[in-house]
């Protein structure tokens, strides 16, 4: 075998090793970055902070009559959507465990990510109904006040 053939075989051998390693590392990085982006998105939509505290802050911003109506609906439904929020948190933690596992299992990570997405959808299904019902009890002034406050908070965060 000539030197050129030996060099070609060596290059082919390294390519056969480098390609799978590169694919695995890229998948891991995509999962890691995706997890960070989702976590950032989750914080952005309010899960990185205390939901009861945010509801109390919303209530405090409202005129008294609106605050009472808002609070009545949210307190009535809180056990249901707080249970959904707990399941959401557990699903996120499982996804993080899969990403940080010693032996990365892409199928298990994909299942955990799917479970997290389903838990997020379930939370919104439970919370959305309560939120819409509570907002329907508010005066136009109260709804505008909540949106104005949210815009101010968002501007401060940026």
């Amino acid at each position: 075998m000539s030197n050129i053939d030996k060099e070609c075989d060596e290059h082919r051998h390294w390519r056969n090793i480098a390609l799978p390693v590169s694919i695995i590392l890229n998948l891991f990085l995509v999962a890691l970055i995706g997890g960070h982006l989702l976590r950032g998105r989750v914080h952005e939509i309010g899960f990185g902070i205390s939901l009861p505290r945010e509801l109390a802050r919303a209530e405090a911003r409202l005129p008294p009559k609106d605050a009472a109506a808002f609070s009545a609906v949210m307190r009535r439904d809180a056990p249901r959507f707080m249970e959904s929020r707990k399941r959401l948190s557990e699903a996120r933690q499982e996804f993080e465990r899969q990403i940080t596992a010693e032996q990365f299992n892409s199928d298990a990570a994909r299942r955990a990510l799917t479970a997290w997405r389903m838990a997020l959808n379930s939370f919104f299904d439970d919370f959305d109904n309560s939120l819409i019902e509570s907002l329907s009890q508010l005066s136009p002034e109260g709804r505008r006040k909540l949106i104005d406050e949210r815009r101010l908070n968002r501007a401060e965060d940026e």
Side-chain angles (χ1 to χ4, degrees), residues 14-118:
W14 281 109
R15 262 187 279 158
N16 288 342
I17 292 172
L19 182 60
V21 169
S22 175
I23 290 171
I24 290 169
L25 285 173
N26 282 320
L27 288 173
F28 173 76
L29 290 173
V30 165
L32 187 63
I33 291 167
H36 283 291
L37 290 175
L38 285 172
R39 188 174 208 179
R41 175 94 174 126
V42 164
H43 178 75
E44 179 181 304
I45 57 179
F47 299 122
I49 54 179
S50 168
L51 185 58
R53 183 176 51 228
E54 281 305 300
L55 292 174
R57 286 177 65 191
E59 195 177 317
R61 295 177 188 129
L62 293 169
K65 183 178 176 187
D66 284 343
F70 182 84
S71 177
V73 173
M74 294 311 242
R75 290 185 198 289
R76 179 195 73 206
D77 295 349
R80 186 181 69 247
F81 60 75
M82 292 306 284
E83 181 59 34
S84 292
R85 185 181 184 283
K86 180 181 176 207
R87 288 190 303 270
L88 175 61
S89 177
E90 290 167 353
R92 179 190 48 81
Q93 289 170 2
E94 178 57 26
F95 181 61
E96 288 177 356
R97 275 193 292 279
Q98 291 302 323
I99 289 175
T100 59
E102 190 70 30
Q103 295 293 320
F104 183 76
N105 180 329
S106 59
D107 290 334
R110 189 173 290 110
R111 284 190 302 273
L113 182 58
T114 298
W116 185 17
R117 184 176 47 247
M118 290 171 58

Side-chain angles (χ1 to χ4, degrees), residues 97-144:
R97 275 193 292 279
Q98 291 302 323
I99 289 175
T100 59
E102 190 70 30
Q103 295 293 320
F104 183 76
N105 180 329
S106 59
D107 290 334
R110 189 173 290 110
R111 284 190 302 273
L113 182 58
T114 298
W116 185 17
R117 184 176 47 247
M118 290 171 58
L120 181 62
N121 289 338
S122 177
F123 172 80
F124 276 119
D125 288 345
D126 288 341
F127 184 72
D128 287 358
N129 293 330
S130 300
L131 180 62
I132 296 301
E133 184 180 345
S134 65
L135 291 172
S136 74
Q137 305 294 316
L138 302 183
S139 67
E141 173 196 356
R143 291 191 306 270
R144 278 191 295 274

